[in-house]
């Protein structure tokens, strides 16, 4: 049996999210606060029936207004039989013939012949009428204590406030069998369908027989050196007492001899117990030939005997009896790797040992395994973990394991590729309208024509695109080197955003269009005008096969308009008559023009792709436009073909300073006119002697007194307004503060505010919840 997918409703920012799972391993990724950890927590809390872990803050913010609306007039809500919001989890299992005995309670009828069964676990009110009655009584008791003049209203202020203290007493889990035929292809329920309830006395045992969920949480440590708990382990206290008194008996060799014999026998016992586990660890292929292997050894010595402590040691010569070091003398990353594997093996062993009540499926959730692991260890872990947890023998016919991993590690994605990725995308505006959806990258991969290129590119570079607030696609190495410096100069607010800068080249940026739109993140494309002479301008629209790499095609903007073909010539200045661009991004993406004159005349609207029904992405393509160049007493308009040319024109006097000759943009004979300056810069930048990387590195060593090229500055400012709009003080409208957006002049809700709640310092529960 396998878990095909699950559907979460009204849990935190997951208003209604369906997450598809791979049969072996699924990887949850996304920007910060996108909901991937919430999805993992929902599985754990629902399947394990942990009702007491739920709080009012686990309801999606959409529900709070609905809850309070019902509580505004409890008596009317009772008479109208209004239902309070609930949180639910649908589990859809793919089963085989051997699983039928366990899923009889989930079959919709005796004539059922499918392979998919569904189970709904719903966290809902025990009795809505009784709940509202209790709330109404609580309001009546404190009504006389309200003081509108001081804006004081005692608890409960509203129904959300009431449930904040009484949720676990008023809500419970209910279980339902789901009929797959009553759901569409996306597992959305038909409006008129009511699922069949499962008897409470059968429900929990049914869930336990089907699926077991275990979570390996983040922030793991190999040992807990210090504890701030009020109660202290008695053995530690006795150990210190024994150690202090042992100093008076250092010559008691009879006692030391007895301890040595016990330690030797105990080490033999530990070797037998952990022998299988340590062999499984070797599958990881780490630490390798030149690194120590593991030995489990007792620390049974006079100073620690009372604590009965057992430690991990590292053998330096590869034997069990040679020189060893305690675990704290090895790297934190390797210790964390060992800890995770042993914990996972222990989880697996507990599942297998439960022979009478073993669940058919074990789902293990691992939160951020990259913590304290360097890149190579992350890849080793994700590469070998399935082999370590493999179900062997006859059990493999009846029982199975699946893994779900939440991560921010591009190295883990590098190792596994596109198919297991489930991307959590944030949607909605700031405030209570925020929510997330989950996207299946394997479906994108199957339908994307550029899938092989994208997969190879991500393998060769990085995968941090899946964790970014926005993407910046740049022309080449120079832009990638200089862009962080340019952002620092142009945008103070953008520095706090998580940006993924991808070096894609002007000819290939358009190949990322499908992925950017699928992920739904904003993107800034910084590319070059790349003007070239036009050899031949054809346009008969025939679909012939004589297209070469030197030809560029563009489909007409009107439906049915013929394809025009242009043959690329040599590099030229942009102001040459009938010059065209060789940049595929400008031709195939935006603004979809070939003639340089058309590109220079294009409006900002032509270079911005707004959100559509298919994608929330907003994309802006920035390239060189005409600028005013000042040279001596002359001022004229000109345009550069590339970043280097544009930089030299906008920083003309600055580049001619003798101290900056290493940039290779200075001329011994000063150009007499701006036209001569433009021509000389063009020839210099396109000559074989000009090193673009040296130019970029040279700029990094300079102070920040040079100008960022205007087209790049405009792109950065556009992205800044989109991601981090400036907040201005203004009057509140209807009690809701709003923020004007510079990008579209619309009013938007404010950015979220962090509220710190301080409770009674003696109330440990209050402080832990705060």
């Amino acid at each position: 049996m396998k878990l095909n997918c699950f559907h979460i409703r009204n849990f935190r920012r997951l208003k209604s999210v369906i997450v598809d799972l791979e049969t072996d391993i699924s990887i949850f990724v996304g920007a910060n606060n996108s909901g991937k950890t919430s999805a993992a927590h929902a599985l754990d809390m629902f399947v394990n029936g942990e009702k007491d872990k739920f709080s009012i803050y686990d309801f999606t913010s959409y529900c709070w207004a609905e809850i309070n609306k019902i509580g505004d007039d409890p008596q009317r809500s009772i008479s109208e039989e209004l239902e309070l919001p609930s949180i639910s989890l649908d589990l859809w299992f793919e089963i085989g013939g051997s699983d039928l005995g366990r899923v009889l309670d989930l079959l919709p009828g005796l004539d059922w012949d499918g392979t998919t069964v569904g189970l709904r676990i719903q966290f809902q009110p025990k009795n809505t009428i009784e709940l509202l009655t209790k709330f109404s009584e609580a309001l009546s008791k404190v009504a006389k204590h309200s003081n509108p003049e001081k804006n004081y209203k005692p608890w409960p202020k509203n129904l959300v406030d009431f449930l904040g203290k009484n949720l676990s007493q008023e809500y419970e889990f209910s279980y339902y069998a789901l009929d797959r035929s009553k759901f569409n292809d996306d597992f959305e329920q038909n409006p008129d369908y009511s699922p069949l309830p499962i008897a409470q006395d059968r429900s929990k045992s049914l869930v336990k027989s089907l699926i077991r969920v275990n979570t390996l949480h983040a922030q793991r440590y190999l040992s807990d050196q210090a504890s701030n708990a009020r109660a202290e382990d008695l053995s530690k206290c006795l150990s210190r007492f024994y150690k202090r008194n042992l100093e008076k008996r250092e010559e008691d060799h009879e006692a030391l001899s007895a301890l040595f014999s016990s330690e030797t026998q105990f080490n033999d016992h530990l070797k037998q117990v952990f022998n299988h586990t340590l062999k499984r660890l070797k599958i990881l292929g780490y630490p390798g030939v030149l690194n120590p292997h593991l030995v489990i050894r007792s620390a049974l010595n006079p100073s620690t005997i009372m604590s009965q402590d057992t430690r991990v040691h590292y053998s330096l010569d590869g034997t069990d009896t040679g020189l060893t070091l305690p675990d704290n003398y090895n790297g934190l990353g390797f210790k964390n790797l060992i800890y995770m594997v042993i914990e996972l093996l222990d989880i697996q062993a507990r599942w297998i040992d439960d022979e009478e009540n073993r669940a058919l499926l074990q789902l293990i959730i691992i939160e951020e395994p990259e913590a304290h692991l360097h890149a190579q260890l992350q890849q080793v872990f994700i590469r070998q973990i399935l082999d370590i947890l493999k179900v062997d023998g006859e059990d493999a016919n009846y029982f199975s394991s699946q893994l779900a991993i939440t991560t921010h590690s591009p190295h883990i994605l590098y190792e596994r590729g596109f198919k297991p990725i489930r991307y959590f995308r944030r949607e909605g505006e700031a405030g209570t309208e925020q929510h997330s959806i989950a996207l299946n990258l394997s479906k994108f991969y199957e339908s994307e024509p550029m899938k092989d290129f994208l997969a190879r590119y991500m393998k060769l570079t990085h995968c941090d695109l899946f964790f970014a607030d926005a993407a910046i696609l740049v022309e080449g190495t120079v832009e990638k080197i200089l862009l962080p410096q340019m952002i620092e100069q142009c945008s103070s607010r953008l520095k706090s955003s998580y940006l993924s800068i991808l070096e894609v080249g002007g000819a290939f940026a358009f190949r990322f269009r499908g992925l950017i739109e699928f992920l739904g993140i904003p993107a800034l494309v910084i590319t070059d005008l790349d003007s070239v002479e036009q050899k031949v301008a054809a346009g008969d629209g025939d679909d012939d096969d004589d297209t070469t790499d030197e030809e560029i095609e563009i489909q007409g903007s009107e439906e049915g308009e013929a394809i025009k073909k242009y043959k690329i010539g040599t590099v030229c200045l942009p102001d040459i008559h009938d010059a065209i661009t060789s940049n595929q991004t400008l031709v195939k993406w935006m603004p979809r023009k070939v003639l340089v004159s058309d590109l220079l005349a294009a409006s900002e609207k032509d270079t911005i792709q707004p959100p559509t029904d298919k994608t929330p992405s907003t994309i802006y393509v920035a390239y060189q436009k005409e600028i005013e160049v000042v040279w001596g007493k002359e001022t004229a308009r000109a345009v550069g073909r590339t970043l280097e040319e544009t930089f030299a024109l906008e920083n003309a006097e600055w580049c001619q300073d003798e101290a900056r000759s290493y940039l290779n943009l200075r001329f011994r004979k000063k150009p007499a006119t701006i036209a001569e300056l433009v021509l000389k810069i063009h020839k210099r930048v396109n000559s074989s002697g000009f090193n673009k990387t040296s130019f970029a590195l040279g700029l990094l060593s300079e102070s920040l007194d040079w100008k960022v090229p205007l087209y790049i500055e405009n792109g950065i400012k556009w992205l800044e307004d989109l991601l981090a709009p400036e907040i201005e003080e203004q009057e509140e409208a209807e009690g809701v503060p709003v923020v004007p957006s510079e990008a579209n002049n619309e009013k938007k809700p404010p950015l979220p505010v962090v509220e710190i709640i301080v409770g009674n310092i003696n109330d440990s529960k209050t402080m832990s919840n705060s």
Side-chain angles (χ1 to χ4, degrees), residues 716-748:
I716 293 173
K717 292 289 187 183
W718 171 86
L719 192 60
E720 179 184 52
D721 290 340
L722 198 66
L723 296 183
E726 189 172 358
I727 300 176
E728 298 177 358
E729 293 185 2
Q730 57 180 343
E731 295 182 359
E732 295 184 1
E734 298 182 357
V736 180
V738 292
V739 178
S741 169
E742 293 176 315
N744 55 18
N745 202 29
E746 293 178 351
K747 291 185 176 181
K748 295 185 177 181

mmCIF file of all heavy atoms in Angstrom, residues 716-748:
data_model
loop_
_atom_site.group_PDB
_atom_site.id
_atom_site.type_symbol
_atom_site.label_atom_id
_atom_site.label_comp_id
_atom_site.label_asym_id
_atom_site.label_seq_id
_atom_site.Cartn_x
_atom_site.Cartn_y
_atom_site.Cartn_z
ATOM 1 N N ILE A 716 15.949 46.771 -11.015
ATOM 2 C CA ILE A 716 16.081 46.551 -9.574
ATOM 3 C C ILE A 716 14.985 47.300 -8.815
ATOM 4 O O ILE A 716 14.384 46.771 -7.879
ATOM 5 C CB ILE A 716 17.485 46.966 -9.095
ATOM 6 C CG1 ILE A 716 18.542 46.026 -9.680
ATOM 7 C CG2 ILE A 716 17.563 46.984 -7.577
ATOM 8 C CD1 ILE A 716 19.971 46.447 -9.397
ATOM 9 N N LYS A 717 14.732 48.549 -9.215
ATOM 10 C CA LYS A 717 13.678 49.338 -8.561
ATOM 11 C C LYS A 717 12.304 48.694 -8.765
ATOM 12 O O LYS A 717 11.463 48.680 -7.862
ATOM 13 C CB LYS A 717 13.673 50.764 -9.119
ATOM 14 C CG LYS A 717 14.893 51.594 -8.750
ATOM 15 C CD LYS A 717 14.891 51.965 -7.280
ATOM 16 C CE LYS A 717 16.020 52.937 -6.964
ATOM 17 N NZ LYS A 717 16.069 53.255 -5.501
ATOM 18 N N TRP A 718 12.077 48.169 -9.960
ATOM 19 C CA TRP A 718 10.805 47.479 -10.227
ATOM 20 C C TRP A 718 10.638 46.288 -9.295
ATOM 21 O O TRP A 718 9.562 46.072 -8.711
ATOM 22 C CB TRP A 718 10.775 47.025 -11.693
ATOM 23 C CG TRP A 718 9.617 46.127 -12.015
ATOM 24 C CD1 TRP A 718 8.354 46.505 -12.373
ATOM 25 C CD2 TRP A 718 9.612 44.689 -12.008
ATOM 26 N NE1 TRP A 718 7.566 45.396 -12.589
ATOM 27 C CE2 TRP A 718 8.316 44.274 -12.371
ATOM 28 C CE3 TRP A 718 10.592 43.725 -11.738
ATOM 29 C CZ2 TRP A 718 7.976 42.920 -12.466
ATOM 30 C CZ3 TRP A 718 10.243 42.381 -11.824
ATOM 31 C CH2 TRP A 718 8.951 41.997 -12.191
ATOM 32 N N LEU A 719 11.697 45.505 -9.142
ATOM 33 C CA LEU A 719 11.627 44.334 -8.281
ATOM 34 C C LEU A 719 11.480 44.733 -6.815
ATOM 35 O O LEU A 719 10.757 44.086 -6.046
ATOM 36 C CB LEU A 719 12.881 43.473 -8.474
ATOM 37 C CG LEU A 719 12.849 42.069 -7.866
ATOM 38 C CD1 LEU A 719 11.702 41.249 -8.454
ATOM 39 C CD2 LEU A 719 14.184 41.357 -8.095
ATOM 40 N N GLU A 720 12.131 45.817 -6.428
ATOM 41 C CA GLU A 720 12.019 46.313 -5.059
ATOM 42 C C GLU A 720 10.582 46.718 -4.745
ATOM 43 O O GLU A 720 10.043 46.374 -3.680
ATOM 44 C CB GLU A 720 12.960 47.495 -4.856
ATOM 45 C CG GLU A 720 12.903 48.099 -3.457
ATOM 46 C CD GLU A 720 13.776 49.339 -3.339
ATOM 47 O OE1 GLU A 720 13.619 50.244 -4.191
ATOM 48 O OE2 GLU A 720 14.596 49.400 -2.417
ATOM 49 N N ASP A 721 9.952 47.431 -5.646
ATOM 50 C CA ASP A 721 8.565 47.847 -5.435
ATOM 51 C C ASP A 721 7.632 46.644 -5.344
ATOM 52 O O ASP A 721 6.615 46.669 -4.647
ATOM 53 C CB ASP A 721 8.108 48.770 -6.562
ATOM 54 C CG ASP A 721 8.784 50.128 -6.507
ATOM 55 O OD1 ASP A 721 9.287 50.489 -5.426
ATOM 56 O OD2 ASP A 721 8.814 50.817 -7.542
ATOM 57 N N LEU A 722 7.996 45.578 -6.043
ATOM 58 C CA LEU A 722 7.155 44.385 -6.068
ATOM 59 C C LEU A 722 7.310 43.575 -4.780
ATOM 60 O O LEU A 722 6.312 43.106 -4.203
ATOM 61 C CB LEU A 722 7.527 43.519 -7.277
ATOM 62 C CG LEU A 722 6.506 42.469 -7.725
ATOM 63 C CD1 LEU A 722 5.252 43.137 -8.249
ATOM 64 C CD2 LEU A 722 7.128 41.581 -8.798
ATOM 65 N N LEU A 723 8.549 43.393 -4.312
ATOM 66 C CA LEU A 723 8.811 42.538 -3.160
ATOM 67 C C LEU A 723 8.771 43.278 -1.837
ATOM 68 O O LEU A 723 8.354 42.722 -0.817
ATOM 69 C CB LEU A 723 10.182 41.857 -3.304
ATOM 70 C CG LEU A 723 10.366 40.882 -4.457
ATOM 71 C CD1 LEU A 723 11.756 40.262 -4.398
ATOM 72 C CD2 LEU A 723 9.307 39.800 -4.443
ATOM 73 N N ALA A 724 9.251 44.510 -1.827
ATOM 74 C CA ALA A 724 9.359 45.258 -0.565
ATOM 75 C C ALA A 724 8.884 46.685 -0.760
ATOM 76 O O ALA A 724 9.671 47.632 -0.707
ATOM 77 C CB ALA A 724 10.806 45.237 -0.071
ATOM 78 N N PRO A 725 7.586 46.875 -1.008
ATOM 79 C CA PRO A 725 7.078 48.233 -1.228
ATOM 80 C C PRO A 725 7.296 49.104 -0.005
ATOM 81 O O PRO A 725 7.221 48.636 1.133
ATOM 82 C CB PRO A 725 5.584 48.021 -1.507
ATOM 83 C CG PRO A 725 5.267 46.690 -0.909
ATOM 84 C CD PRO A 725 6.512 45.868 -1.047
ATOM 85 N N GLU A 726 7.595 50.362 -0.256
ATOM 86 C CA GLU A 726 7.850 51.294 0.841
ATOM 87 C C GLU A 726 6.554 51.571 1.586
ATOM 88 O O GLU A 726 5.516 51.848 0.998
ATOM 89 C CB GLU A 726 8.432 52.595 0.288
ATOM 90 C CG GLU A 726 8.929 53.538 1.367
ATOM 91 C CD GLU A 726 9.665 54.732 0.775
ATOM 92 O OE1 GLU A 726 9.802 54.779 -0.465
ATOM 93 O OE2 GLU A 726 10.087 55.592 1.543
ATOM 94 N N ILE A 727 6.626 51.488 2.910
ATOM 95 C CA ILE A 727 5.451 51.696 3.748
ATOM 96 C C ILE A 727 5.402 53.148 4.187
ATOM 97 O O ILE A 727 6.362 53.665 4.749
ATOM 98 C CB ILE A 727 5.485 50.768 4.980
ATOM 99 C CG1 ILE A 727 5.513 49.308 4.526
ATOM 100 C CG2 ILE A 727 4.304 51.023 5.886
ATOM 101 C CD1 ILE A 727 5.648 48.324 5.660
ATOM 102 N N GLU A 728 4.280 53.801 3.923
ATOM 103 C CA GLU A 728 4.107 55.188 4.318
ATOM 104 C C GLU A 728 2.964 55.302 5.316
ATOM 105 O O GLU A 728 1.992 54.563 5.258
ATOM 106 C CB GLU A 728 3.787 56.059 3.086
ATOM 107 C CG GLU A 728 4.914 56.057 2.054
ATOM 108 C CD GLU A 728 4.533 56.870 0.838
ATOM 109 O OE1 GLU A 728 3.392 57.382 0.808
ATOM 110 O OE2 GLU A 728 5.349 56.995 -0.080
ATOM 111 N N GLU A 729 3.101 56.232 6.240
ATOM 112 C CA GLU A 729 2.040 56.456 7.214
ATOM 113 C C GLU A 729 0.855 57.139 6.534
ATOM 114 O O GLU A 729 1.014 58.067 5.769
ATOM 115 C CB GLU A 729 2.537 57.345 8.358
ATOM 116 C CG GLU A 729 3.600 56.669 9.217
ATOM 117 C CD GLU A 729 3.972 57.526 10.410
ATOM 118 O OE1 GLU A 729 3.380 58.603 10.567
ATOM 119 O OE2 GLU A 729 4.866 57.132 11.166
ATOM 120 N N GLN A 730 -0.340 56.646 6.846
ATOM 121 C CA GLN A 730 -1.546 57.277 6.324
ATOM 122 C C GLN A 730 -2.718 56.870 7.195
ATOM 123 O O GLN A 730 -2.610 56.010 8.061
ATOM 124 C CB GLN A 730 -1.802 56.869 4.872
ATOM 125 C CG GLN A 730 -1.930 55.364 4.662
ATOM 126 C CD GLN A 730 -2.172 55.031 3.217
ATOM 127 O OE1 GLN A 730 -2.551 55.874 2.432
ATOM 128 N NE2 GLN A 730 -1.953 53.807 2.840
ATOM 129 N N GLU A 731 -3.821 57.502 6.973
ATOM 130 C CA GLU A 731 -4.984 57.238 7.804
ATOM 131 C C GLU A 731 -5.531 55.854 7.519
ATOM 132 O O GLU A 731 -5.424 55.330 6.415
ATOM 133 C CB GLU A 731 -6.070 58.284 7.525
ATOM 134 C CG GLU A 731 -5.661 59.698 7.931
ATOM 135 C CD GLU A 731 -6.786 60.683 7.681
ATOM 136 O OE1 GLU A 731 -7.841 60.256 7.177
ATOM 137 O OE2 GLU A 731 -6.614 61.864 7.993
ATOM 138 N N GLU A 732 -6.126 55.268 8.569
ATOM 139 C CA GLU A 732 -6.740 53.965 8.421
ATOM 140 C C GLU A 732 -8.138 54.116 7.838
ATOM 141 O O GLU A 732 -8.863 55.049 8.149
ATOM 142 C CB GLU A 732 -6.814 53.247 9.770
ATOM 143 C CG GLU A 732 -5.438 52.931 10.344
ATOM 144 C CD GLU A 732 -5.542 52.129 11.625
ATOM 145 O OE1 GLU A 732 -6.677 51.815 12.024
ATOM 146 O OE2 GLU A 732 -4.505 51.823 12.211
ATOM 147 N N ALA A 733 -8.493 53.155 6.981
ATOM 148 C CA ALA A 733 -9.829 53.145 6.375
ATOM 149 C C ALA A 733 -10.602 51.964 6.931
ATOM 150 O O ALA A 733 -10.197 50.823 6.766
ATOM 151 C CB ALA A 733 -9.716 53.028 4.851
ATOM 152 N N GLU A 734 -11.700 52.248 7.592
ATOM 153 C CA GLU A 734 -12.572 51.237 8.186
ATOM 154 C C GLU A 734 -11.809 50.324 9.125
ATOM 155 O O GLU A 734 -12.034 49.117 9.184
ATOM 156 C CB GLU A 734 -13.247 50.412 7.082
ATOM 157 C CG GLU A 734 -14.138 51.256 6.178
ATOM 158 C CD GLU A 734 -14.823 50.401 5.123
ATOM 159 O OE1 GLU A 734 -14.554 49.188 5.072
ATOM 160 O OE2 GLU A 734 -15.606 50.958 4.354
ATOM 161 N N GLY A 735 -10.855 50.890 9.844
ATOM 162 C CA GLY A 735 -10.136 50.122 10.849
ATOM 163 C C GLY A 735 -9.037 49.236 10.307
ATOM 164 O O GLY A 735 -8.385 48.522 11.040
ATOM 165 N N VAL A 736 -8.792 49.226 8.986
ATOM 166 C CA VAL A 736 -7.758 48.383 8.399
ATOM 167 C C VAL A 736 -6.712 49.265 7.756
ATOM 168 O O VAL A 736 -6.997 49.947 6.770
ATOM 169 C CB VAL A 736 -8.347 47.421 7.339
ATOM 170 C CG1 VAL A 736 -7.253 46.557 6.750
ATOM 171 C CG2 VAL A 736 -9.441 46.570 7.965
ATOM 172 N N PRO A 737 -5.467 49.299 8.291
ATOM 173 C CA PRO A 737 -4.433 50.117 7.676
ATOM 174 C C PRO A 737 -4.052 49.583 6.305
ATOM 175 O O PRO A 737 -4.046 48.387 6.075
ATOM 176 C CB PRO A 737 -3.256 49.983 8.651
ATOM 177 C CG PRO A 737 -3.500 48.708 9.379
ATOM 178 C CD PRO A 737 -4.990 48.563 9.457
ATOM 179 N N VAL A 738 -3.786 50.497 5.380
ATOM 180 C CA VAL A 738 -3.435 50.087 4.027
ATOM 181 C C VAL A 738 -2.140 50.741 3.605
ATOM 182 O O VAL A 738 -1.694 51.722 4.170
ATOM 183 C CB VAL A 738 -4.548 50.458 3.016
ATOM 184 C CG1 VAL A 738 -5.778 49.623 3.268
ATOM 185 C CG2 VAL A 738 -4.890 51.935 3.129
ATOM 186 N N VAL A 739 -1.535 50.149 2.571
ATOM 187 C CA VAL A 739 -0.252 50.628 2.079
ATOM 188 C C VAL A 739 -0.336 50.844 0.579
ATOM 189 O O VAL A 739 -0.779 49.951 -0.141
ATOM 190 C CB VAL A 739 0.864 49.588 2.385
ATOM 191 C CG1 VAL A 739 2.180 50.058 1.826
ATOM 192 C CG2 VAL A 739 0.972 49.384 3.888
ATOM 193 N N PRO A 740 0.029 52.007 0.069
ATOM 194 C CA PRO A 740 -0.018 52.209 -1.376
ATOM 195 C C PRO A 740 1.115 51.471 -2.059
ATOM 196 O O PRO A 740 2.221 51.404 -1.550
ATOM 197 C CB PRO A 740 0.147 53.730 -1.521
ATOM 198 C CG PRO A 740 0.920 54.139 -0.310
ATOM 199 C CD PRO A 740 0.508 53.192 0.783
ATOM 200 N N SER A 741 0.839 50.905 -3.201
ATOM 201 C CA SER A 741 1.864 50.231 -3.981
ATOM 202 C C SER A 741 2.341 51.161 -5.082
ATOM 203 O O SER A 741 1.567 51.648 -5.880
ATOM 204 C CB SER A 741 1.305 48.932 -4.589
ATOM 205 O OG SER A 741 2.190 48.422 -5.538
ATOM 206 N N GLU A 742 3.656 51.362 -5.119
ATOM 207 C CA GLU A 742 4.196 52.261 -6.144
ATOM 208 C C GLU A 742 4.094 51.642 -7.525
ATOM 209 O O GLU A 742 4.075 52.333 -8.527
ATOM 210 C CB GLU A 742 5.656 52.580 -5.820
ATOM 211 C CG GLU A 742 5.819 53.403 -4.545
ATOM 212 C CD GLU A 742 7.278 53.614 -4.212
ATOM 213 O OE1 GLU A 742 8.038 52.644 -4.290
ATOM 214 O OE2 GLU A 742 7.649 54.736 -3.884
ATOM 215 N N ALA A 743 4.030 50.278 -7.544
ATOM 216 C CA ALA A 743 4.034 49.619 -8.840
ATOM 217 C C ALA A 743 2.732 49.830 -9.603
ATOM 218 O O ALA A 743 2.731 50.079 -10.793
ATOM 219 C CB ALA A 743 4.288 48.121 -8.658
ATOM 220 N N ASN A 744 1.589 49.733 -8.892
ATOM 221 C CA ASN A 744 0.317 49.862 -9.602
ATOM 222 C C ASN A 744 -0.636 50.847 -8.953
ATOM 223 O O ASN A 744 -1.799 50.926 -9.316
ATOM 224 C CB ASN A 744 -0.353 48.483 -9.715
ATOM 225 C CG ASN A 744 -0.507 47.832 -8.357
ATOM 226 O OD1 ASN A 744 -0.442 48.508 -7.331
ATOM 227 N ND2 ASN A 744 -0.695 46.518 -8.359
ATOM 228 N N ASN A 745 -0.149 51.571 -7.954
ATOM 229 C CA ASN A 745 -0.922 52.626 -7.299
ATOM 230 C C ASN A 745 -2.202 52.095 -6.656
ATOM 231 O O ASN A 745 -3.186 52.792 -6.541
ATOM 232 C CB ASN A 745 -1.273 53.735 -8.296
ATOM 233 C CG ASN A 745 -1.568 55.053 -7.577
ATOM 234 O OD1 ASN A 745 -1.037 55.299 -6.496
ATOM 235 N ND2 ASN A 745 -2.394 55.887 -8.170
ATOM 236 N N GLU A 746 -2.174 50.806 -6.237
ATOM 237 C CA GLU A 746 -3.314 50.233 -5.540
ATOM 238 C C GLU A 746 -3.029 50.192 -4.049
ATOM 239 O O GLU A 746 -1.878 50.194 -3.631
ATOM 240 C CB GLU A 746 -3.580 48.807 -6.033
ATOM 241 C CG GLU A 746 -4.058 48.754 -7.475
ATOM 242 C CD GLU A 746 -4.262 47.322 -7.903
ATOM 243 O OE1 GLU A 746 -3.881 46.424 -7.144
ATOM 244 O OE2 GLU A 746 -4.794 47.122 -8.998
ATOM 245 N N LYS A 747 -4.096 50.117 -3.251
ATOM 246 C CA LYS A 747 -3.918 50.008 -1.813
ATOM 247 C C LYS A 747 -3.827 48.541 -1.428
ATOM 248 O O LYS A 747 -4.620 47.726 -1.851
ATOM 249 C CB LYS A 747 -5.084 50.676 -1.083
ATOM 250 C CG LYS A 747 -5.092 52.193 -1.235
ATOM 251 C CD LYS A 747 -6.183 52.828 -0.406
ATOM 252 C CE LYS A 747 -6.118 54.351 -0.497
ATOM 253 N NZ LYS A 747 -7.164 54.980 0.332
ATOM 254 N N LYS A 748 -2.824 48.248 -0.610
ATOM 255 C CA LYS A 748 -2.611 46.878 -0.183
ATOM 256 C C LYS A 748 -2.523 46.821 1.332
ATOM 257 O O LYS A 748 -2.152 47.795 1.965
ATOM 258 C CB LYS A 748 -1.317 46.317 -0.804
ATOM 259 C CG LYS A 748 -1.376 46.209 -2.322
ATOM 260 C CD LYS A 748 -0.142 45.538 -2.838
ATOM 261 C CE LYS A 748 -0.214 45.353 -4.354
ATOM 262 N NZ LYS A 748 0.965 44.673 -4.887
#
